[in-house]
Amino acid sequence: MLKTMNAEKTPDLIGKDLPRLDAHEKVTGTAVFADDIEFGSGLLYARIKRSPHPHALIKSIDTAQAEALTGVKAVVTGADYPGYIGLYLQDRHIFCRDRVRYVGEAVAGVAAISEEIAEQAVALIQVEYELLEPVFDAEQGAGSDAPLLHPDLGSYKAASFIHPKPGTNISNHFKIRKGDIDSAWGSCAQIVERNYRIPHVQHVPIETHVAVAKMDETGEVTLWGSSQSPFAQRNLIAKALGISQSKVRVIAPYVGGGFGCKAGVSMEALAVAVAAKVKGRAVKLRLTREEEFYTTFVRQGLISRIKIGCGEQGKLLAMKNTFFWDGGASTEYGVNIARAAGYSSSGPYEVPNVMTDSYCVYTNHPVGGAFRGFGMPEMHAGLEQCINELAEAIGMDAVEFRRLNCVREGSVLVTGSAMHPTGLSDCIDQVANAIDWDRKSAASASHKRRGKGFAIMWKAPAMPPNAGSSAWLELNEDASVTIGLGGQEIGQGTFSVMAQMAAAKLGVPYDWVHVAKPIDTQYSPYEWQTVASRLTWSMGNAVANAASDARQQILDMVAEVWEEDPEDLDIVEGEVISYKSEESISLKDMVVYGLPKPDGSGWLGGPIVGRGKFMPTYVTGLDPETGQGDRAVVHYTTGAQAVEVEVDLETGRVEVLRGAAAFDAGKAINPALVEAQIEGGFVQGISTALFEGLQLKNGVLQNPSFVDYRIATTADVPAEIKSLIVEVPQDDGPWGARGVGEHPMVPTIPAIANAIYSAIAVRVAEPPFTAEKVYLAMVDAGVVE
């Protein structure tokens, strides 16, 4: 009997908690370089000579003793590589040349037959410096009298949407001018004005950065790296070396933790540069844990100055924001964080009058780069506390104030464009119910106080307007399916989701689908980067299109053989079926060998290979003076989060008792994976709210180890985390889906800050809200003696 199926083929694969595709595969982290890939006995090891100063001119470099050391095969300095490298702003060399700009910057590299010999050689390199006045504060660094860190800023190549200010330390200035801010303040019944500081933090992936590079005798480069951005690395490294992208191959196995630090190019170019001096031999560079803390990307620090006003009924009328982003010594990635904060600066609220100045500023701190949330956790940290204070000033409940002012479909956004359909209001309601917002809980002891905090958020994929995805899909003799992807699996489950989409669109069982890996730029289809929570949406569209292409090839072939209309055919559970004639045929064999023609005169078909691509075509430019335009971003993912905390009056310790969060995923392709992202993001948010912060003193990191840099552990995770999924479809998302990977950690800092205030009526100056800070704040406020 013919199975009856609707035209959507296998829709039950979408929205199901299917097992992860990699659930039974061995993931070895850095061991992949030692165990799974054989580089031969000629493998060399690289170590890096790093700057001990935050800002200094390089007067001379003497490498003679290092070169003479037995076992050393090459020594490299900035003199060997004059080219610039950078994603949005080409503002740095692979090895610094004329000056150093942060403690830990790469000055020279050594390749030797062992790491120990390479370390000895590094110690023998003599560098003469002339110390320069440093910049350690972003707001001061933006001033006209600050020491200039990049005198050549005006000559750097920048993306068209990045606006550097030559002659200053401002590498990007993004502006919003919406409405009439000056007139709006007079109409406000209440105004709150506050300043906030958010510290640098580290990603601390369990797997540190590691790369192996090899240049053969013809000049072709192969780079094996723990990377979120193999194609971006290929492009940027090729440009820096002045060679064709076709001469650079990047192979990226599973990544042992990313969170943004393995996006773009950081230490990988160092390995390639050293390998270029020992052609024919592979060179391995592995960062120590200490190096990981301050020589790779860190989350940028932020100074924000926020002023918000509302009318008598609580309706928001005006908002003025000034952001000073501490981009560090190079802002080639950080400039886009300042931009993203600018076009999202109102938060998920409709405000008729907005003035924003978002500055990315050079400092002599470690280089700022992508971090989960891409500036949104830092920006929302102050904004959502201000919203709470304004609600209190006008006499409204914090949740009700947000319900009144949050963006809805058709809201005019800060850039002047209209908001697409969103489930933010539903997120607010579900979270308020889940946390029992209207009920006050009793503390567990007389010396403790409980409080609840609430925050909402939004985030758009921060990317160029034309970031594209591609995919291929081929069927094997047994009808199993192999899909080619360029996006990376970093623990978020993207391989599983892509397999679900391919299976559902093609019409085969989920366990028939396999992902070709590792990601290899020589064979994998192009993908911009695994960042911005965009893969489910962008790469998902490419995969769906590739599956549709393959499906159509199969249906056209069978229709011709059966002399039927392809519209009457479908593929269900790996069989082509006809709703008209009720015939059926397995995909096996025919998807490679084809089918004989009905008259016996030959064959039809051949190996089935589907191709798919996706690129948004509708994102427009923004006026550089006003930030206004038709469509600034592809979409926003919105959500809400609430926590209940208990504060110990005797110690200041803050314990998160429970949390609830809801995010509008458009469509949850795999709900279990979405819930895992919500939980993981919440825990990472707790970590940055209560524990994490890089302690920089005169440019020197004081806590570059897990001894002094605390991250949340299972002991800090609340017993109850309610993960709620809202689904308001995205018009151009596959099955309506949009990304939700970064968003769960965006509202956590302000939610906890608001909960602490609810408990003890004290605002703590800045995160992390450690026991010491909270206790001293209570002492200063007179809460405790």
Side-chain angles (χ1 to χ4, degrees):
M1 280 295 287
L2 176 69
K3 301 176 187 175
T4 57
M5 290 281 290
N6 62 32
E8 192 54 31
K9 300 169 294 306
T10 320
D12 56 333
L13 292 178
I14 301 301
K16 294 295 184 181
D17 297 335
L18 297 179
R20 287 179 60 107
L21 202 62
D22 55 359
H24 303 293
E25 296 184 11
K26 179 184 178 185
V27 180
T28 56
T30 56
V32 70
F33 296 100
D35 301 333
D36 299 341
I37 300 175
E38 181 56 57
F39 299 105
S41 59
L43 177 66
L44 300 176
Y45 298 86
R47 296 302 297 149
I48 305 301
K49 180 74 172 183
R50 299 188 181 277
S51 167
H53 306 296
H55 194 202
L57 294 177
I58 298 175
K59 305 301 289 184
S60 66
I61 303 178
D62 185 351
T63 62
Q65 293 185 61
E67 291 171 349
L69 184 66
T70 301
V72 171
K73 301 301 180 181
V75 179
V76 181
T77 69
D80 297 301
Y81 297 101
Y84 284 94
I85 192 169
L87 185 63
Y88 297 106
L89 177 67
Q90 294 180 25
D91 67 351
R92 64 183 175 95
H93 301 288
I94 296 177
F95 287 95
C96 55
R97 288 168 58 83
D98 59 332
R99 69 172 73 195
V100 294
R101 295 181 173 89
Y102 71 100
V103 174
E105 187 167 15
V107 176
V110 173
I113 60 174
S114 70
E115 279 193 339
E116 292 76 14
I117 293 174
E119 286 281 8
Q120 294 174 33
V122 163
L124 293 174
I125 297 173
Q126 303 298 310
V127 185
E128 181 185 356
Y129 297 99
E130 178 184 321
L131 300 186
L132 298 174
E133 184 182 354
V135 173
F136 299 132
D137 183 276
E139 186 170 10
Q140 294 175 10
S144 59
D145 59 345
L148 209 56
L149 304 191
H150 284 262
D152 298 328
L153 177 58
S155 66
Y156 295 162
K157 293 181 179 179
S160 61
F161 48 82
I162 301 301
H163 309 294
K165 301 300 177 185
T168 75
N169 290 320
I170 300 170
S171 55
N172 190 25
H173 180 193
F174 186 92
K175 303 176 185 177
I176 288 291
R177 304 292 186 267
K178 177 190 177 188
D180 185 350
I181 190 75
D182 292 329
S183 299
W185 298 121
S187 302
C188 294
Q190 291 290 339
I191 297 173
V192 171
E193 189 169 5
R194 298 289 183 267
N195 301 327
Y196 301 93
R197 283 182 177 264
I198 308 298
H200 298 79
V201 300
Q202 234 302 328
H203 309 71
V204 290
I206 297 304
E207 174 199 46
T208 62
H209 278 70
V210 59
V212 178
K214 181 179 180 179
M215 178 179 283
D216 67 19
E217 297 297 337
T218 69
E220 294 196 0
V221 174
T222 302
L223 170 65
W224 294 263
S226 178
S227 173
Q228 296 177 230
S229 309
F231 287 91
Q233 288 182 351
R234 179 188 68 174
N235 181 41
L236 297 177
I237 292 173
K239 286 181 177 179
L241 298 181
I243 63 177
S244 168
Q245 285 85 350
S246 65
K247 294 276 190 178
V248 179
R249 177 187 182 188
V250 180
I251 301 172
Y254 276 121
V255 175
F259 312 112
C261 70
K262 293 173 183 173
V265 177
S266 57
M267 54 76 78
E268 299 81 11
L270 300 174
V272 174
V274 175
K277 298 300 180 181
V278 286
K279 289 184 178 180
R281 303 196 55 178
V283 177
K284 179 177 180 178
L285 176 60
R286 177 183 56 84
L287 297 191
T288 65
R289 176 58 63 185
E290 182 173 343
E291 287 178 308
E292 186 75 25
F293 268 98
Y294 65 95
T295 69
T296 63
F297 290 144
V298 300
R299 190 176 81 177
Q300 296 185 133
L302 172 64
I303 300 170
S304 58
R305 306 197 179 283
I306 302 173
K307 182 180 179 181
I308 312 178
C310 67
E312 292 183 357
Q313 303 304 313
K315 197 69 175 174
L316 288 172
L317 298 179
M319 183 181 295
K320 181 180 179 180
N321 298 320
T322 306
F323 302 135
F324 296 97
W325 295 91
D326 187 333
S330 163
T331 61
E332 52 110 346
Y333 218 130
V335 287
N336 200 37
I337 296 173
R339 179 175 180 266
Y343 62 61
S344 303
S345 56
S346 65
Y349 301 100
E350 184 169 13
V351 189
N353 304 286
V354 181
M355 177 179 178
T356 298
D357 290 284
S358 186
Y359 301 97
C360 189
V361 184
Y362 286 119
T363 68
N364 295 115
H365 282 150
V367 176
F371 186 103
R372 188 177 192 174
F374 208 72
M376 295 301 102
E378 304 95 291
M379 188 201 79
H380 283 74
L383 180 64
E384 280 297 280
Q385 291 187 70
C386 249
I387 289 291
N388 253 48
E389 292 199 53
L390 187 58
E392 184 179 23
I394 204 68
M396 288 185 66
D397 174 76
V399 170
E400 187 56 38
F401 191 86
R402 288 176 169 85
R403 285 195 188 103
L404 175 66
N405 288 291
C406 71
V407 292
R408 294 170 172 81
E409 181 179 1
S411 293
V412 179
L413 305 183
V414 68
T415 56
S417 57
M419 183 64 181
H420 56 76
T422 177
L424 180 54
S425 296
D426 194 13
C427 290
I428 293 172
D429 291 342
Q430 289 199 35
V431 170
N433 290 333
I435 205 71
D436 301 315
W437 181 255
D438 295 326
R439 292 173 51 193
K440 181 73 174 178
S441 302
S444 63
S446 60
H447 63 283
K448 295 183 178 182
R449 300 289 183 271
R450 285 195 182 188
K452 295 176 183 177
F454 205 97
I456 63 175
M457 61 73 63
W458 70 348
K459 183 191 179 298
M463 63 187 200
N466 58 341
S469 300
S470 58
W472 53 256
L473 180 152
E474 64 179 11
L475 287 98
N476 306 304
E477 291 88 342
D478 61 356
S480 62
V481 179
T482 303
I483 54 176
L485 309 171
Q488 183 61 288
E489 176 61 64
I490 57 175
Q492 80 282 44
T494 194
F495 285 178
S496 303
V497 169
M498 295 304 122
Q500 280 183 253
M501 290 185 180
K505 186 64 70 170
L506 184 60
V508 300
Y510 170 69
D511 58 5
W512 287 17
V513 182
H514 310 276
V515 175
K517 47 191 176 292
I519 306 302
D520 183 338
T521 59
Q522 185 164 293
Y523 302 109
S524 301
Y526 176 83
E527 179 60 55
W528 177 61
Q529 293 189 85
T530 302
V531 297
S533 303
R534 55 181 288 280
L535 289 191
T536 295
W537 164 75
S538 183
M539 191 167 74
N541 270 319
V543 167
N545 291 337
S548 293
D549 181 31
R551 176 181 181 275
Q552 195 60 51
Q553 293 177 49
I554 294 168
L555 296 183
D556 288 344
M557 174 179 61
V558 175
E560 187 171 349
V561 171
W562 287 354
E563 298 180 340
E564 293 195 37
D565 188 332
E567 294 298 316
D568 292 328
L569 306 183
D570 203 349
I571 304 176
V572 179
E573 292 293 308
E575 291 197 353
V576 180
I577 61 174
S578 170
Y579 293 119
K580 183 177 181 180
S581 65
E582 297 194 355
E583 288 201 53
S584 67
I585 184 174
S586 170
L587 294 179
K588 294 180 179 180
D589 291 331
M590 74 147 165
V591 291
V592 172
Y593 303 123
L595 292 172
K597 292 180 179 179
D599 60 5
S601 62
W603 290 74
L604 293 171
I608 299 297
V609 179
R611 298 186 302 166
K613 64 179 182 178
F614 176 77
M615 184 184 79
T617 59
Y618 42 74
V619 177
T620 62
L622 300 177
D623 187 297
E625 295 303 317
T626 66
Q628 302 301 290
D630 292 335
R631 187 163 180 176
V633 299
V634 291
H635 59 253
Y636 280 98
T637 296
T638 59
Q641 194 174 93
V643 298
E644 184 173 18
V645 305
E646 192 166 67
V647 180
D648 190 320
L649 299 181
E650 296 179 350
T651 65
R653 180 177 180 270
V654 177
E655 181 182 2
V656 180
L657 302 175
R658 59 182 178 135
F663 294 89
D664 179 6
K667 175 64 179 180
I669 303 298
N670 189 315
L673 291 179
V674 173
E675 290 173 3
Q677 288 299 304
I678 293 174
E679 293 168 2
F682 180 54
V683 172
Q684 194 170 13
I686 291 174
S687 193
T688 56
L690 299 183
F691 308 120
E692 294 188 53
L694 294 176
Q695 298 171 20
L696 291 158
K697 183 178 181 180
N698 296 326
V700 180
L701 183 61
Q702 306 298 302
N703 57 334
S705 76
F706 287 129
V707 174
D708 299 307
Y709 188 96
R710 167 105 191 265
I711 62 173
T713 68
T714 53
D716 304 300
V717 178
E720 179 184 312
I721 303 174
K722 292 184 178 178
S723 300
L724 308 166
I725 300 172
V726 172
E727 296 178 316
V728 175
Q730 184 63 36
D731 59 353
D732 64 347
W735 288 272
R738 65 175 75 86
V740 72
E742 298 169 272
H743 310 81
M745 80 170 290
V746 172
T748 312
I749 292 176
I752 290 176
N754 290 334
I756 293 172
Y757 178 81
S758 170
I760 60 175
V762 175
R763 289 276 172 195
V764 183
E766 65 181 71
F769 308 126
T770 62
E772 180 183 18
K773 282 185 184 177
V774 173
Y775 184 80
L776 292 176
M778 290 191 294
V779 171
D780 290 342
V783 175
V784 297
E785 296 182 358

Short mmCIF file of all heavy atoms in Angstrom, two decimals, residues 213-244:
data_model
loop_
_atom_site.label_atom_id
_atom_site.label_comp_id
_atom_site.label_asym_id
_atom_site.label_seq_id
_atom_site.Cartn_x
_atom_site.Cartn_y
_atom_site.Cartn_z
N ALA A 213 51.01 24.56 10.52
CA ALA A 213 51.08 25.13 9.18
C ALA A 213 52.23 24.52 8.41
O ALA A 213 53.27 24.15 8.98
CB ALA A 213 51.25 26.64 9.26
N LYS A 214 52.04 24.45 7.09
CA LYS A 214 53.09 23.93 6.22
C LYS A 214 53.01 24.64 4.88
O LYS A 214 51.94 24.79 4.31
CB LYS A 214 52.89 22.42 6.02
CG LYS A 214 53.97 21.76 5.14
CD LYS A 214 53.70 20.26 5.03
CE LYS A 214 54.75 19.57 4.18
NZ LYS A 214 54.51 18.12 4.08
N MET A 215 54.17 25.11 4.40
CA MET A 215 54.27 25.66 3.06
C MET A 215 55.15 24.73 2.25
O MET A 215 56.28 24.44 2.65
CB MET A 215 54.84 27.07 3.07
CG MET A 215 55.02 27.67 1.67
SD MET A 215 55.68 29.37 1.64
CE MET A 215 54.20 30.30 2.09
N ASP A 216 54.63 24.27 1.11
CA ASP A 216 55.45 23.35 0.31
C ASP A 216 56.39 24.14 -0.60
O ASP A 216 56.42 25.37 -0.59
CB ASP A 216 54.57 22.37 -0.47
CG ASP A 216 53.73 23.03 -1.56
OD1 ASP A 216 54.05 24.17 -1.97
OD2 ASP A 216 52.75 22.41 -2.00
N GLU A 217 57.17 23.41 -1.38
CA GLU A 217 58.20 24.06 -2.20
C GLU A 217 57.60 24.96 -3.28
O GLU A 217 58.29 25.82 -3.81
CB GLU A 217 59.09 22.98 -2.84
CG GLU A 217 59.87 22.13 -1.83
CD GLU A 217 60.85 22.95 -1.01
OE1 GLU A 217 61.26 24.02 -1.47
OE2 GLU A 217 61.21 22.50 0.10
N THR A 218 56.33 24.74 -3.63
CA THR A 218 55.69 25.60 -4.64
C THR A 218 55.04 26.83 -4.04
O THR A 218 54.48 27.65 -4.76
CB THR A 218 54.62 24.80 -5.41
OG1 THR A 218 53.52 24.51 -4.53
CG2 THR A 218 55.19 23.50 -5.96
N GLY A 219 55.10 26.95 -2.71
CA GLY A 219 54.51 28.11 -2.05
C GLY A 219 53.07 27.92 -1.63
O GLY A 219 52.44 28.87 -1.15
N GLU A 220 52.55 26.70 -1.76
CA GLU A 220 51.18 26.44 -1.33
C GLU A 220 51.16 26.16 0.17
O GLU A 220 51.99 25.42 0.69
CB GLU A 220 50.56 25.28 -2.11
CG GLU A 220 50.37 25.61 -3.57
CD GLU A 220 49.41 24.65 -4.26
OE1 GLU A 220 48.89 23.73 -3.58
OE2 GLU A 220 49.18 24.83 -5.47
N VAL A 221 50.17 26.74 0.86
CA VAL A 221 50.08 26.69 2.32
C VAL A 221 48.93 25.78 2.74
O VAL A 221 47.83 25.85 2.19
CB VAL A 221 49.85 28.10 2.91
CG1 VAL A 221 49.62 28.02 4.42
CG2 VAL A 221 51.02 29.01 2.59
N THR A 222 49.20 24.92 3.71
CA THR A 222 48.14 24.16 4.38
C THR A 222 48.19 24.52 5.86
O THR A 222 49.25 24.48 6.49
CB THR A 222 48.32 22.65 4.22
OG1 THR A 222 48.34 22.32 2.82
CG2 THR A 222 47.17 21.90 4.88
N LEU A 223 47.03 24.90 6.38
CA LEU A 223 46.92 25.28 7.79
C LEU A 223 45.87 24.41 8.45
O LEU A 223 44.72 24.37 8.02
CB LEU A 223 46.52 26.76 7.90
CG LEU A 223 46.13 27.28 9.28
CD1 LEU A 223 47.31 27.23 10.24
CD2 LEU A 223 45.55 28.69 9.20
N TRP A 224 46.30 23.69 9.49
CA TRP A 224 45.35 22.94 10.32
C TRP A 224 45.13 23.77 11.57
O TRP A 224 46.10 24.13 12.27
CB TRP A 224 45.91 21.59 10.71
CG TRP A 224 46.11 20.62 9.59
CD1 TRP A 224 45.26 19.63 9.19
CD2 TRP A 224 47.27 20.51 8.74
NE1 TRP A 224 45.81 18.92 8.14
CE2 TRP A 224 47.04 19.44 7.84
CE3 TRP A 224 48.47 21.22 8.63
CZ2 TRP A 224 47.96 19.07 6.87
CZ3 TRP A 224 49.40 20.86 7.66
CH2 TRP A 224 49.15 19.80 6.80
N GLY A 225 43.88 24.12 11.88
CA GLY A 225 43.67 24.99 13.02
C GLY A 225 42.36 24.76 13.72
O GLY A 225 41.38 24.30 13.12
N SER A 226 42.33 25.09 14.99
CA SER A 226 41.10 25.07 15.78
C SER A 226 40.38 26.37 15.47
O SER A 226 40.65 27.40 16.07
CB SER A 226 41.44 24.96 17.26
OG SER A 226 40.28 24.98 18.04
N SER A 227 39.47 26.32 14.51
CA SER A 227 38.98 27.57 13.91
C SER A 227 37.47 27.60 13.73
O SER A 227 36.86 26.61 13.32
CB SER A 227 39.64 27.77 12.54
OG SER A 227 39.08 28.86 11.85
N GLN A 228 36.89 28.77 13.99
CA GLN A 228 35.51 29.05 13.63
C GLN A 228 35.40 29.68 12.25
O GLN A 228 34.30 29.85 11.74
CB GLN A 228 34.89 30.03 14.66
CG GLN A 228 34.78 29.49 16.07
CD GLN A 228 34.22 30.53 17.02
OE1 GLN A 228 34.80 30.75 18.08
NE2 GLN A 228 33.11 31.16 16.68
N SER A 229 36.54 30.05 11.65
CA SER A 229 36.52 30.87 10.43
C SER A 229 37.52 30.39 9.39
O SER A 229 38.40 31.15 8.97
CB SER A 229 36.81 32.33 10.79
OG SER A 229 36.00 32.79 11.83
N PRO A 230 37.45 29.14 8.95
CA PRO A 230 38.47 28.66 8.01
C PRO A 230 38.53 29.46 6.71
O PRO A 230 39.63 29.72 6.19
CB PRO A 230 38.08 27.20 7.77
CG PRO A 230 36.70 27.04 8.30
CD PRO A 230 36.52 28.06 9.35
N PHE A 231 37.38 29.86 6.18
CA PHE A 231 37.41 30.60 4.92
C PHE A 231 37.89 32.04 5.12
O PHE A 231 38.61 32.59 4.27
CB PHE A 231 36.03 30.58 4.26
CG PHE A 231 35.69 29.25 3.67
CD1 PHE A 231 35.02 28.29 4.42
CD2 PHE A 231 36.06 28.92 2.37
CE1 PHE A 231 34.72 27.04 3.89
CE2 PHE A 231 35.78 27.67 1.83
CZ PHE A 231 35.10 26.73 2.59
N ALA A 232 37.53 32.65 6.22
CA ALA A 232 38.04 33.99 6.52
C ALA A 232 39.55 33.94 6.76
O ALA A 232 40.29 34.83 6.32
CB ALA A 232 37.34 34.57 7.74
N GLN A 233 40.02 32.88 7.42
CA GLN A 233 41.45 32.74 7.62
C GLN A 233 42.17 32.58 6.30
O GLN A 233 43.23 33.18 6.08
CB GLN A 233 41.73 31.55 8.55
CG GLN A 233 41.34 31.81 9.99
CD GLN A 233 41.67 30.65 10.91
OE1 GLN A 233 42.04 29.56 10.46
NE2 GLN A 233 41.52 30.86 12.20
N ARG A 234 41.63 31.77 5.42
CA ARG A 234 42.23 31.60 4.10
C ARG A 234 42.37 32.94 3.39
O ARG A 234 43.42 33.29 2.85
CB ARG A 234 41.38 30.65 3.25
CG ARG A 234 41.90 30.44 1.84
CD ARG A 234 40.93 29.65 0.99
NE ARG A 234 39.71 30.39 0.70
CZ ARG A 234 38.76 29.95 -0.12
NH1 ARG A 234 38.88 28.76 -0.70
NH2 ARG A 234 37.68 30.67 -0.33
N ASN A 235 41.30 33.71 3.40
CA ASN A 235 41.29 34.98 2.70
C ASN A 235 42.25 35.99 3.32
O ASN A 235 43.06 36.62 2.62
CB ASN A 235 39.85 35.54 2.72
CG ASN A 235 39.73 36.85 1.98
OD1 ASN A 235 40.32 37.04 0.91
ND2 ASN A 235 38.98 37.77 2.54
N LEU A 236 42.18 36.15 4.64
CA LEU A 236 42.98 37.18 5.30
C LEU A 236 44.47 36.85 5.28
O LEU A 236 45.31 37.73 5.07
CB LEU A 236 42.50 37.38 6.73
CG LEU A 236 41.06 37.89 6.89
CD1 LEU A 236 40.69 37.98 8.36
CD2 LEU A 236 40.86 39.23 6.21
N ILE A 237 44.81 35.58 5.49
CA ILE A 237 46.22 35.19 5.48
C ILE A 237 46.79 35.31 4.07
O ILE A 237 47.92 35.78 3.88
CB ILE A 237 46.39 33.78 6.05
CG1 ILE A 237 46.08 33.78 7.55
CG2 ILE A 237 47.80 33.24 5.80
CD1 ILE A 237 46.05 32.41 8.20
N ALA A 238 46.02 34.91 3.07
CA ALA A 238 46.48 35.05 1.69
C ALA A 238 46.76 36.51 1.34
O ALA A 238 47.79 36.84 0.73
CB ALA A 238 45.45 34.46 0.73
N LYS A 239 45.87 37.39 1.75
CA LYS A 239 46.06 38.81 1.47
C LYS A 239 47.30 39.35 2.19
O LYS A 239 48.07 40.12 1.62
CB LYS A 239 44.83 39.60 1.89
CG LYS A 239 43.63 39.44 0.97
CD LYS A 239 42.45 40.28 1.44
CE LYS A 239 41.28 40.19 0.48
NZ LYS A 239 40.12 41.00 0.97
N ALA A 240 47.49 38.94 3.43
CA ALA A 240 48.64 39.43 4.19
C ALA A 240 49.95 38.95 3.60
O ALA A 240 50.96 39.68 3.63
CB ALA A 240 48.53 38.99 5.65
N LEU A 241 49.96 37.74 3.03
CA LEU A 241 51.17 37.20 2.43
C LEU A 241 51.33 37.60 0.98
O LEU A 241 52.38 37.35 0.37
CB LEU A 241 51.17 35.67 2.54
CG LEU A 241 51.18 35.07 3.95
CD1 LEU A 241 51.20 33.55 3.86
CD2 LEU A 241 52.36 35.57 4.75
N GLY A 242 50.27 38.20 0.41
CA GLY A 242 50.34 38.62 -0.99
C GLY A 242 50.28 37.46 -1.96
O GLY A 242 50.89 37.51 -3.03
N ILE A 243 49.54 36.39 -1.62
CA ILE A 243 49.40 35.24 -2.50
C ILE A 243 47.92 34.99 -2.78
O ILE A 243 47.03 35.53 -2.13
CB ILE A 243 50.05 33.98 -1.90
CG1 ILE A 243 49.35 33.57 -0.59
CG2 ILE A 243 51.54 34.19 -1.67
CD1 ILE A 243 49.90 32.28 0.01
N SER A 244 47.64 34.15 -3.76
CA SER A 244 46.27 33.83 -4.13
C SER A 244 45.60 32.99 -3.04
O SER A 244 46.24 32.15 -2.40
CB SER A 244 46.25 33.06 -5.45
OG SER A 244 44.97 32.51 -5.71
#
